[in-house]
Amino acid sequence: MVLSFESIQDTSAVRSFESALGQPLTKQMIRVLQINLGRRCNLACTHCHVEAGPHRTEELSDAVLEQLLQVIERFPQIQTVDLTGGAPEMNYGFRPLVEKARSHQKEVIVRSNLTIFFESGFEDLPEYFAQHQVRVVASLPCYLQDNVDKMRGQGVYDASIRALQRLNDVGYGHNPNLMLDLVYNPPVPTDENFKLTPSQAGLEVDYKQYLKTQFDISFDHLLTITNLPIGRTRFQLEHRGLLQSYTRFLASHHNSSTVAGLMCRNELSIDYKGNVYDCDFNQMAEVPAQTPDGTPVTVQTLLEAGTLEVIQTIQTRPYCYGCTAGSGSSCGGALT
């Protein structure tokens, strides 16, 4: 089959994700509540699919915060409360959510940019995290300074190194109750020489060796995450005329063995307005989760239903191939 120029420029030329699966993608029992507290962040990273930054003001309201606290309290099946942003620590409701979740013996993950430790009013975060045994998942898209500063801003690498040393000082990377994971993101492609995300296990060895030798830094795991064509990544790809070819590249490397572990299957992603999505990527693409009759789901829906199991079929789009390409990608890193 020969594709026209017009169809090549359109992501509809990529077969639907459901077609690749041969069936709809379905939910399993909900175990993870991922909450995006807002778009405020002290950084404006070039690869950020959330498009967060210092001038964004969107964050939780009192009403939505109260609903989320109720969900954490009422549904013991939730094992993990995963807090993200923006810089989640900067947005309203962060500490009440941490403390409510920990009081109910749930794992709490904070997805931190590390540099927040040096902003006024947030200097106590390493000690606060340790006090509440928060699992820190920290962005460090490369172990080399030049690559990090190009993606995240001048001086971010040095601040991140100092932040990791502070976390080590309070026990992270040494105490098994204080987990510290780092996140690798590849650079956004600038030409059609696309590559799959490197081996997570191999790259972890390189990270650990370099950071230990150069800075005496220890951490637990490296998580590799593929750049999905959403947010600023999508903008850069479109600007370079690469969006469609990058999406086709991801689709051509679809790995069916990753599907069982997709994060969307057992999590709910909540935005600062209280809307529910199947995953963080759908949230940023404004593709809401739906009940079987097509009604968008909100936190209020869950509370009124008295159950988290109101979604049967996960909403999919061509960018979902980013989570199944190669070894797979999720908020927890590679899937195979």
Side-chain angles (χ1 to χ4, degrees):
M1 175 181 178
V2 178
L3 298 176
S4 68
F5 175 80
E6 290 77 11
S7 66
I8 289 173
Q9 297 305 304
D10 187 348
T11 54
S12 64
V14 176
R15 68 171 175 163
S16 74
F17 190 71
E18 283 193 7
S19 296
L21 300 186
Q23 60 187 353
L25 187 61
T26 55
K27 282 286 193 190
Q28 299 171 338
M29 179 173 280
I30 301 303
R31 300 294 189 189
V32 179
L33 190 70
Q34 186 175 72
I35 304 168
N36 187 302
L37 282 76
R39 306 295 176 86
R40 183 181 290 113
C41 187
N42 57 314
L43 300 178
C45 301
T46 59
H47 63 289
C48 181
H49 69 281
V50 180
E51 301 184 72
H55 303 297
R56 302 297 294 264
T57 59
E58 305 95 319
E59 63 181 357
L60 289 181
S61 65
D62 283 323
V64 174
L65 173 59
E66 180 56 37
Q67 289 177 340
L68 290 168
L69 295 173
Q70 288 184 48
V71 169
I72 292 169
E73 184 167 330
R74 286 176 55 181
F75 297 104
Q77 73 191 69
I78 297 171
Q79 298 174 349
T80 300
V81 176
D82 185 343
L83 302 177
T84 184
E89 306 97 323
M90 294 185 75
N91 288 276
Y92 178 72
F94 174 72
R95 297 195 188 209
L97 287 166
V98 168
E99 291 159 27
K100 173 65 76 171
R102 292 301 295 139
S103 72
H104 287 270
Q105 293 76 52
K106 301 184 190 301
E107 177 190 39
V108 173
I109 295 173
V110 57
R111 296 188 181 272
S112 182
N113 67 30
L114 296 174
T115 65
I116 187 64
F117 297 176
F118 306 108
E119 299 289 336
S120 177
F122 301 97
E123 298 91 344
D124 70 326
L125 282 172
E127 291 77 15
Y128 179 82
F129 291 165
Q131 176 189 352
H132 295 284
Q133 296 186 348
V134 174
R135 178 183 171 191
V136 179
V137 177
S139 177
L140 193 71
C142 184
Y143 55 81
L144 300 175
Q145 179 172 1
D146 186 55
N147 290 349
V148 172
D149 285 354
K150 283 180 179 178
M151 293 174 70
R152 304 187 64 207
Q154 197 66 32
V156 169
Y157 181 82
D158 286 341
S160 298
I161 293 299
R162 288 187 286 126
L164 290 170
Q165 290 170 332
R166 284 197 60 194
L167 287 169
N168 278 182
D169 288 343
V170 299
Y172 281 92
H174 307 293
N175 183 334
N177 294 317
L178 301 177
M179 298 293 292
L180 172 60
D181 298 333
L182 301 184
V183 176
Y184 165 86
N185 286 91
V188 178
T190 57
D191 56 39
E192 294 201 0
N193 185 29
F194 305 128
K195 296 179 181 178
L196 294 172
T197 303
S199 162
Q200 181 168 285
L203 197 56
E204 180 180 294
V205 172
D206 294 341
Y207 263 73
K208 285 188 171 181
Q209 182 177 15
Y210 186 86
L211 293 176
K212 186 66 177 178
T213 301
Q214 298 296 319
F215 305 108
D216 196 28
I217 287 172
S218 298
F219 67 95
D220 292 292
H221 306 104
L222 181 72
L223 312 179
T224 56
I225 296 181
T226 299
N227 288 325
L228 269 67
I230 298 173
R232 291 187 185 129
T233 296
R234 180 186 176 98
F235 174 81
Q236 292 184 63
L237 291 168
E238 285 182 323
H239 179 71
R240 296 171 178 138
L242 297 173
L243 176 60
Q244 287 73 29
S245 55
Y246 181 65
T247 305
R248 290 197 302 275
F249 169 79
L250 295 175
S252 70
H253 289 84
H254 171 68
N255 178 357
S256 60
S257 66
T258 65
V259 175
L262 288 173
M263 61 186 180
C264 56
R265 305 198 69 182
N266 70 352
E267 81 165 23
L268 299 176
S269 174
I270 317 294
D271 72 7
Y272 63 91
K273 296 179 181 178
N275 299 311
V276 178
Y277 303 82
D278 292 308
C279 70
D280 182 58
F281 301 115
N282 276 1
Q283 182 182 146
M284 296 311 135
E286 300 182 351
V287 180
Q290 298 179 8
T291 61
D293 67 1
T295 303
V297 180
T298 67
V299 179
Q300 187 62 36
T301 306
L302 305 175
L303 292 170
E304 290 177 355
T307 177
L308 302 181
E309 315 304 330
V310 300
I311 304 161
Q312 293 182 4
T313 302
I314 295 166
Q315 302 300 308
T316 62
R317 297 293 185 273
Y319 52 73
C320 296
Y321 285 113
C323 291
T324 64
S327 297
S329 175
S330 75
C331 289
L335 298 174
T336 63

